[in-house]
Amino acid sequence: MSHLPTIQFAAPQFPASGVLVVLAGKDGALPAGLPDGVRGAAERAGSLGKFKGKGLSTVETIAPAESGLDRIVVVGTAGEEPFGEEDWLKLGGTIQAKLAGASVATIWTEGAAAAPQAREAATIGLGILLRAYKFDRYKSKKAKDGEEDTADQTLTVTIAVAEPDAARAAFEPLDALGEGVRLARDLVNEPANILTTTDYAARIEALSSTGLEIEILDENRMRELKMFALLGVSLGSPTPPRLCIMRWNGGAEGEAPVAFVGKGVVFDTGGVSIKPAAGMDEMKGDMGGSAAVVGLMRALAGRQAKVNAIGVVGLVENAVDGMAQRPGDIVTAMSGTTIEVLNTDAEGRLVLADALWYTQERFKPRFMVNLATLTGAIIVALGNQHAGLFSNNDELANRLLAAGLATGEKVWRMPLGKDYDKMIEGKFADIKNVGNGRSAGSITAAQFLQRFVNDVPWAHLDVAGTAMGSPSNEYNQSWASGFGVRLLNKLVEEHYEAR
Ligand code: BES
Ligand code: MN
Ligand code: ZN
């Protein structure tokens, strides 16, 4: 695997080697306290490159020989609005992109127009780590010429800040958060022949070393619990289903937990209602919702969050086989609701029906948030820029919207209502697993889920467009984004943790 950069924080002491990164303000204003030669070189590069200090714009130059430095990279921080949390993350990513091939770098923040505080400096560190992520496990030859090569690079980045102890303390939880994001990305990037349901469950089980309590339900146990909606999806697959439960008990004893539930379809062929061949490979990512839940739980444990949290993921493969369920089959969910399976490709909601019902019944959570790559229709509606948010609770929905804006993992609220609910009334059973043709496809899927939440405050995030395949940005260059981990970590941190 690629090496990740080492991030450290130190009191400002001007470096005598390596790459120097300086933050510039409006009109390219450079911080005070740069040695004359360095300042002169940076200014010259700035005026030649028409550098105006605009946020995240960069200019670089060879350092003067007497400085001992290799290169000077100037990064702008100016703009209409002051830098927010996501901007600092982007800044870190932008810097990391400029450090290809370097082994030592110093980020000089002292005297900058927008000098980062401890938490902001720490966020630069997280941005560096997220940008450096690469899934190259199966490349026998690592980076190609001209690619950002982090394969055998060992890079140490020192962020020079006025209060290094405070920055270090602020970085610790963000480092754990970064681990959670990387875990989620890894799980989504892994192909389905490697990340089978049982392999996935084993990886979750291994997280017990982080302090999470793990429990794994096998097929027999799920049959005893009458989870026939979930089990039906799994019938066509040679690898058996698993329901994995992760518990983090960092809050007050006896306090009701917050709960996160994820769709973990390790591969979605569509089943008998088979998908077209083009692009079907992307369905290895159909467990993106579950990966976010696993990554989040990893992050909460890693940073010793003061909260009681439950993560539940339903792991199945939706395969084609003589044993697979057929269109028209009727299954009874754990809740007792009967479901006509009119399209075997609408399988995610069947998995979540039992996972959600089980979660609320067993854990009586304060709320449930589920994540699922549930519908292609949400990509039609929102593209890759927002996840769809559906909720029966305005307070929870508003908190998620705010967390989305802060982290850049944006969500957009979509409607629910009786008229949409009518669209899933069944002909031969209580409900059917599809709506009417293509209209309101993401909403009817959400209505289906709502049938299984039993009035618990609940939000459903349809992450089909955001968990994978979104355009690269400053802090993500990977197919799998890890979407949801930072969003939900923010939700927990802001509203549900004891301080
Ligand atoms: N996993 C898919 C949704 C999906 C599509 C995720 C594209 C990521 C990218 C889901 O199981 C599915 O097949 N949904 C169907 C529902 C339909 C049959 C009602 C869809 O969206 O077409
Ligand atoms: Mn499907
Ligand atoms: Zn699916």
Side-chain angles (χ1 to χ4, degrees), residues 263 268-270 275 283 286 318 344-348 374:
K263 168 179 173 181
D268 182 11
T269 62
K275 286 185 179 295
M283 287 301 112
D286 207 18
N318 190 22
T344 65
D345 196 12
E347 85 297 340
L374 204 63

PDB file of all heavy atoms in Angstrom, residues 263 268-270 275 283 286 318 344-348 374, ligand 2:
ATOM      1  N   LYS A 263     -26.987  -0.259   3.958  1.00  0.00           N
ATOM      2  CA  LYS A 263     -27.208  -1.262   2.910  1.00  0.00           C
ATOM      3  C   LYS A 263     -25.849  -1.810   2.498  1.00  0.00           C
ATOM      4  O   LYS A 263     -24.988  -1.067   2.028  1.00  0.00           O
ATOM      5  CB  LYS A 263     -27.901  -0.627   1.703  1.00  0.00           C
ATOM      6  CG  LYS A 263     -27.909  -1.510   0.438  1.00  0.00           C
ATOM      7  CD  LYS A 263     -28.631  -0.841  -0.744  1.00  0.00           C
ATOM      8  CE  LYS A 263     -28.471  -1.663  -2.038  1.00  0.00           C
ATOM      9  NZ  LYS A 263     -29.133  -1.029  -3.201  1.00  0.00           N
ATOM     10  N   ASP A 268     -24.615  -6.183  -6.833  1.00  0.00           N
ATOM     11  CA  ASP A 268     -26.012  -6.135  -7.257  1.00  0.00           C
ATOM     12  C   ASP A 268     -26.111  -6.383  -8.757  1.00  0.00           C
ATOM     13  O   ASP A 268     -25.925  -5.475  -9.562  1.00  0.00           O
ATOM     14  CB  ASP A 268     -26.600  -4.754  -6.893  1.00  0.00           C
ATOM     15  CG  ASP A 268     -28.078  -4.637  -7.253  1.00  0.00           C
ATOM     16  OD1 ASP A 268     -28.701  -5.673  -7.576  1.00  0.00           O
ATOM     17  OD2 ASP A 268     -28.610  -3.504  -7.189  1.00  0.00           O
ATOM     18  N   THR A 269     -26.404  -7.637  -9.111  1.00  0.00           N
ATOM     19  CA  THR A 269     -26.620  -7.942 -10.539  1.00  0.00           C
ATOM     20  C   THR A 269     -28.018  -7.526 -10.959  1.00  0.00           C
ATOM     21  O   THR A 269     -28.333  -7.487 -12.153  1.00  0.00           O
ATOM     22  CB  THR A 269     -26.537  -9.460 -10.814  1.00  0.00           C
ATOM     23  OG1 THR A 269     -27.598 -10.106 -10.075  1.00  0.00           O
ATOM     24  CG2 THR A 269     -25.198 -10.039 -10.398  1.00  0.00           C
ATOM     25  N   GLY A 270     -28.866  -7.242  -9.953  1.00  0.00           N
ATOM     26  CA  GLY A 270     -30.289  -7.035 -10.224  1.00  0.00           C
ATOM     27  C   GLY A 270     -31.077  -8.307  -9.920  1.00  0.00           C
ATOM     28  O   GLY A 270     -32.288  -8.272  -9.783  1.00  0.00           O
ATOM     29  N   LYS A 275     -29.760  -6.536 -14.422  1.00  0.00           N
ATOM     30  CA  LYS A 275     -29.346  -5.225 -14.906  1.00  0.00           C
ATOM     31  C   LYS A 275     -28.691  -5.339 -16.278  1.00  0.00           C
ATOM     32  O   LYS A 275     -28.134  -6.385 -16.610  1.00  0.00           O
ATOM     33  CB  LYS A 275     -28.295  -4.634 -13.942  1.00  0.00           C
ATOM     34  CG  LYS A 275     -28.839  -4.131 -12.634  1.00  0.00           C
ATOM     35  CD  LYS A 275     -27.742  -3.472 -11.816  1.00  0.00           C
ATOM     36  CE  LYS A 275     -28.277  -2.949 -10.502  1.00  0.00           C
ATOM     37  NZ  LYS A 275     -29.263  -1.860 -10.661  1.00  0.00           N
ATOM     38  N   MET A 283     -21.521  -1.930  -9.548  1.00  0.00           N
ATOM     39  CA  MET A 283     -22.362  -2.466  -8.475  1.00  0.00           C
ATOM     40  C   MET A 283     -21.564  -3.200  -7.397  1.00  0.00           C
ATOM     41  O   MET A 283     -22.110  -3.693  -6.426  1.00  0.00           O
ATOM     42  CB  MET A 283     -23.475  -3.354  -9.052  1.00  0.00           C
ATOM     43  CG  MET A 283     -24.565  -2.548  -9.734  1.00  0.00           C
ATOM     44  SD  MET A 283     -25.349  -1.360  -8.609  1.00  0.00           S
ATOM     45  CE  MET A 283     -24.791   0.178  -9.307  1.00  0.00           C
ATOM     46  N   ASP A 286     -22.206  -1.292  -4.231  1.00  0.00           N
ATOM     47  CA  ASP A 286     -23.574  -1.210  -3.725  1.00  0.00           C
ATOM     48  C   ASP A 286     -23.652  -1.470  -2.215  1.00  0.00           C
ATOM     49  O   ASP A 286     -24.734  -1.599  -1.661  1.00  0.00           O
ATOM     50  CB  ASP A 286     -24.479  -2.182  -4.506  1.00  0.00           C
ATOM     51  CG  ASP A 286     -25.935  -1.737  -4.535  1.00  0.00           C
ATOM     52  OD1 ASP A 286     -26.202  -0.545  -4.274  1.00  0.00           O
ATOM     53  OD2 ASP A 286     -26.805  -2.595  -4.801  1.00  0.00           O
ATOM     54  N   ASN A 318     -26.766  -9.838  -4.263  1.00  0.00           N
ATOM     55  CA  ASN A 318     -27.964 -10.005  -5.102  1.00  0.00           C
ATOM     56  C   ASN A 318     -27.521 -10.654  -6.411  1.00  0.00           C
ATOM     57  O   ASN A 318     -27.132  -9.965  -7.358  1.00  0.00           O
ATOM     58  CB  ASN A 318     -28.616  -8.638  -5.346  1.00  0.00           C
ATOM     59  CG  ASN A 318     -29.987  -8.743  -6.000  1.00  0.00           C
ATOM     60  OD1 ASN A 318     -30.641  -9.791  -5.928  1.00  0.00           O
ATOM     61  ND2 ASN A 318     -30.430  -7.664  -6.625  1.00  0.00           N
ATOM     62  N   THR A 344     -36.735  -7.751  -8.676  1.00  0.00           N
ATOM     63  CA  THR A 344     -35.691  -8.248  -7.761  1.00  0.00           C
ATOM     64  C   THR A 344     -34.506  -7.290  -7.693  1.00  0.00           C
ATOM     65  O   THR A 344     -33.624  -7.452  -6.852  1.00  0.00           O
ATOM     66  CB  THR A 344     -35.182  -9.644  -8.179  1.00  0.00           C
ATOM     67  OG1 THR A 344     -34.524  -9.541  -9.460  1.00  0.00           O
ATOM     68  CG2 THR A 344     -36.307 -10.648  -8.256  1.00  0.00           C
ATOM     69  N   ASP A 345     -34.505  -6.278  -8.591  1.00  0.00           N
ATOM     70  CA  ASP A 345     -33.435  -5.280  -8.554  1.00  0.00           C
ATOM     71  C   ASP A 345     -33.718  -4.182  -7.518  1.00  0.00           C
ATOM     72  O   ASP A 345     -32.838  -3.384  -7.213  1.00  0.00           O
ATOM     73  CB  ASP A 345     -33.269  -4.672  -9.951  1.00  0.00           C
ATOM     74  CG  ASP A 345     -31.945  -3.934 -10.109  1.00  0.00           C
ATOM     75  OD1 ASP A 345     -31.075  -4.081  -9.227  1.00  0.00           O
ATOM     76  OD2 ASP A 345     -31.788  -3.230 -11.128  1.00  0.00           O
ATOM     77  N   ALA A 346     -34.912  -4.158  -6.983  1.00  0.00           N
ATOM     78  CA  ALA A 346     -35.196  -3.205  -5.898  1.00  0.00           C
ATOM     79  C   ALA A 346     -34.952  -3.950  -4.587  1.00  0.00           C
ATOM     80  O   ALA A 346     -35.856  -4.159  -3.774  1.00  0.00           O
ATOM     81  CB  ALA A 346     -36.620  -2.684  -6.008  1.00  0.00           C
ATOM     82  N   GLU A 347     -33.688  -4.390  -4.405  1.00  0.00           N
ATOM     83  CA  GLU A 347     -33.340  -5.286  -3.298  1.00  0.00           C
ATOM     84  C   GLU A 347     -32.872  -4.564  -2.044  1.00  0.00           C
ATOM     85  O   GLU A 347     -33.004  -5.080  -0.941  1.00  0.00           O
ATOM     86  CB  GLU A 347     -32.252  -6.273  -3.758  1.00  0.00           C
ATOM     87  CG  GLU A 347     -30.795  -5.775  -3.675  1.00  0.00           C
ATOM     88  CD  GLU A 347     -30.491  -4.573  -4.562  1.00  0.00           C
ATOM     89  OE1 GLU A 347     -31.260  -4.338  -5.508  1.00  0.00           O
ATOM     90  OE2 GLU A 347     -29.503  -3.876  -4.300  1.00  0.00           O
ATOM     91  N   GLY A 348     -32.327  -3.351  -2.226  1.00  0.00           N
ATOM     92  CA  GLY A 348     -31.757  -2.653  -1.071  1.00  0.00           C
ATOM     93  C   GLY A 348     -32.811  -2.394  -0.005  1.00  0.00           C
ATOM     94  O   GLY A 348     -32.569  -2.566   1.195  1.00  0.00           O
ATOM     95  N   LEU A 374     -29.404   3.463  -2.922  1.00  0.00           N
ATOM     96  CA  LEU A 374     -30.711   2.828  -3.078  1.00  0.00           C
ATOM     97  C   LEU A 374     -31.312   2.932  -4.471  1.00  0.00           C
ATOM     98  O   LEU A 374     -31.905   1.972  -4.948  1.00  0.00           O
ATOM     99  CB  LEU A 374     -31.687   3.402  -2.041  1.00  0.00           C
ATOM    100  CG  LEU A 374     -32.863   2.487  -1.691  1.00  0.00           C
ATOM    101  CD1 LEU A 374     -32.384   1.196  -1.044  1.00  0.00           C
ATOM    102  CD2 LEU A 374     -33.860   3.177  -0.773  1.00  0.00           C
TER     103      LEU A 374
HETATM  104 MN    MN B   2     -30.712  -3.289  -7.384  1.00  0.00          MN
END
